[in-house]
Amino acid sequence: MSKVKYQDEFSCTDANTLSMLLVVLASYRYESLRRLLTSLSRNNYGCSVVDLHISIDKPLDLSTAVQEARERSIKLALEFEWRAGTKTVFRRLKHVGLSQSWFEATYASGDYEYLGIFEDDMQISRNFFPNFASLHHLIFAEDSVTAFCLHPADWEVRVPRACNVQGFSNILYESPEPCNWGPIWRFSDWRAYISWVSAMKDAGELPYVPENVSYNFNKYLNDGKDVQSSWVWRYNYDFSKRQVRYSIKKCLMEEEIFLAINHKEPGEHFKQKLDLDTDPQLLEFSSDALVKLIESERWILPLKYGKYDKGAKSLRG
C-alpha cells in the first residue's frame, strides 16, 4: 500500500522522517478498538513510513456475545483504512493472554527505528507523531534509554524531580518505571529486551526483584497477573535501563499535556474501570505546544534518574 505524503502541511526533514511500527493489541472490545484506530489515523505522519499491525487475541470467554464482538473487531481491523504505510491483521486461533501478546508484538518483519505498542483501551492525541518526530533525537540521546512514554507523569513509581536543574529539562525526565500506556520503544532495544524475556522463560524464571525495590511488581507476579510490566521492571533494574517520561505540571504549568490517555476499561485481570485522566479533551492542545515548551528551555536533555528509592511504596497503594 502506498503511503500518502502531506508536504503541504508538514515540512519533511531527515530529523523528523522516521520508520515506525505501531502495534495494536485487541481482543473483543469493538468500540475501544474503533476509538484507538481512529485516534491513530488522525495523526499527520508526514513523510515517515509508519506501518500498522493489529493483533487480535482469542478470548477465554466463549459466550456468543463475546465471540460476536470479536468477529466485529476483526472485521473492523480488516476494513480500517490506514494511509501512513502498510497494515497487517493477525487473528489468533488460541488465547495467549496480554503479556504474551506484548512479547510477540515484533513477529512482524521489518527494519524499523521505533515500535509503539497500544492496548485497545488507549486513545492517542492527534499531535503524538509530530511531537515525537521533533523530539526523538533528544529523548534517545542516551544508550540507557529504551523508550518514551506517551502518557505523562508517574503512575506507580514516584520520581523525585527538582526544577531548573542545570543542564537538564524541566519537562523530560528518566524513570525506571515501565510504560504500559503508549510506550514508543527504540526497536533495537525492544529486540534486546525480548531476547532477555525469551531466555528467562526458557530457564523457567519469573522476573522477581529484591523486595525493597519491588513496589507492586512482585505482587503482580504473586497474584498471577498477566501483565508485562513486571518483566520490564526487572530488565530495567538488572541492566540500568530507563524510559523517558514527560510532565509540564510540576515546573511550568498548572494543566498537563497528554499525548495519550488510557480509558482503564475492565479486562481479565483488572475488573473495575478507573475514572482517572480519561477525558478525551485532555488530548486536545496546540499541535506544537509540547515541542515549543521544550525548545524554549535553556537545557533540553531528559533529567537523569538517580538511585532506586529502597523501601518506597507504589503510588497506587
Side-chain angles (χ1 to χ4, degrees):
M1 180 184 298
S2 62
K3 67 182 294 297
V4 176
K5 309 291 185 180
Y6 297 90
Q7 283 92 341
D8 292 341
E9 305 173 21
F10 195 96
S11 178
C12 300
T13 68
D14 289 342
N16 66 16
T17 302
L18 315 174
S19 61
M20 181 181 290
L21 174 64
L22 302 179
V23 175
V24 169
L25 305 179
S27 182
Y28 62 90
R29 296 188 293 204
Y30 171 84
E31 290 297 340
S32 300
L33 178 60
R34 181 188 58 78
R35 180 183 60 213
L36 171 57
L37 293 177
T38 299
S39 69
L40 287 171
S41 70
R42 294 172 69 203
N43 269 263
N44 183 344
Y45 295 98
C47 299
S48 296
V49 176
V50 181
D51 293 339
L52 177 65
H53 178 72
I54 306 171
S55 177
I56 302 181
D57 198 10
K58 185 175 180 64
L60 287 173
D61 187 342
L62 299 180
S63 66
T64 299
V66 168
Q67 294 304 314
E68 287 179 351
R70 182 182 185 240
E71 290 302 316
R72 290 179 65 215
S73 298
I74 293 170
K75 185 174 186 292
L76 169 65
L78 290 171
E79 295 179 353
F80 190 81
E81 182 181 10
W82 183 252
R83 304 170 67 201
T86 60
K87 182 193 73 177
T88 57
V89 178
F90 180 46
R91 173 180 182 166
R92 292 190 181 276
L93 299 180
K94 182 179 180 180
H95 177 78
V96 297
L98 185 58
S99 64
Q100 196 67 17
S101 294
W102 278 78
F103 299 150
E104 295 178 355
T106 58
Y107 274 26
S109 61
D111 186 17
Y112 301 98
E113 295 174 83
Y114 298 107
L115 168 72
I117 305 179
F118 308 105
E119 295 176 12
D120 61 5
D121 57 354
M122 295 290 301
Q123 186 174 359
I124 311 303
S125 169
R126 71 172 73 198
N127 299 317
F128 127 66
F129 192 82
N131 280 273
F132 179 80
S134 297
L135 298 173
H136 72 102
H137 61 292
L138 301 174
I139 294 167
F140 292 93
E142 298 288 344
D143 290 340
S144 58
V145 171
T146 61
F148 174 65
C149 195
L150 296 187
H151 192 282
D154 305 325
W155 178 252
E156 184 152 337
V157 179
R158 186 186 302 280
V159 175
R161 292 172 56 217
C163 298
N164 302 316
V165 177
Q166 184 171 353
F168 296 104
S169 172
N170 278 324
I171 300 172
L172 302 172
Y173 63 99
E174 295 181 2
S175 172
E177 180 175 5
C179 177
N180 299 319
W181 299 339
I184 308 295
W185 279 74
R186 182 157 40 196
F187 205 82
S188 57
D189 286 309
W190 176 261
R191 283 176 168 160
Y193 163 66
I194 291 302
S195 294
W196 172 83
V197 169
S198 178
M200 289 280 287
K201 286 182 172 288
D202 287 346
E205 294 185 39
L206 289 173
Y208 286 99
V209 295
E211 196 61 35
N212 63 354
V213 292
S214 67
Y215 293 85
N216 281 334
F217 297 109
N218 283 355
K219 183 177 185 298
Y220 295 150
L221 297 170
N222 292 334
D223 293 347
K225 301 288 188 186
D226 181 25
V227 295
Q228 55 86 36
S229 55
S230 298
W231 294 83
V232 180
W233 180 254
R234 168 68 181 274
Y235 182 76
N236 289 348
Y237 181 78
D238 280 1
F239 298 100
S240 298
K241 296 297 185 180
R242 305 288 183 256
Q243 299 189 342
V244 168
R245 292 175 174 259
Y246 69 95
S247 177
I248 65 171
K249 198 170 181 179
K250 177 178 176 62
C251 298
L252 297 179
M253 300 175 68
E254 293 184 2
E255 299 295 328
E256 190 67 273
I257 281 179
F258 283 73
L259 293 175
I261 59 174
N262 184 290
H263 287 272
K264 306 176 184 69
E265 291 166 346
E268 289 182 7
H269 293 277
F270 298 94
K271 302 299 184 183
Q272 293 184 331
K273 177 177 173 62
L274 298 177
D275 289 319
L276 179 64
D277 296 334
T278 59
D279 183 356
Q281 287 302 310
L282 293 169
L283 301 170
E284 300 298 329
F285 56 90
S286 174
S287 62
D288 57 355
L290 184 60
V291 171
K292 285 185 175 179
L293 281 171
I294 292 174
E295 289 180 343
S296 69
E297 297 188 284
R298 184 174 179 183
W299 296 288
I300 54 181
L301 291 178
L303 181 67
K304 302 293 287 184
Y305 180 76
K307 296 181 179 180
Y308 282 78
D309 188 3
K310 294 185 178 179
K313 301 300 182 184
S314 168
L315 294 171
R316 301 301 138 194

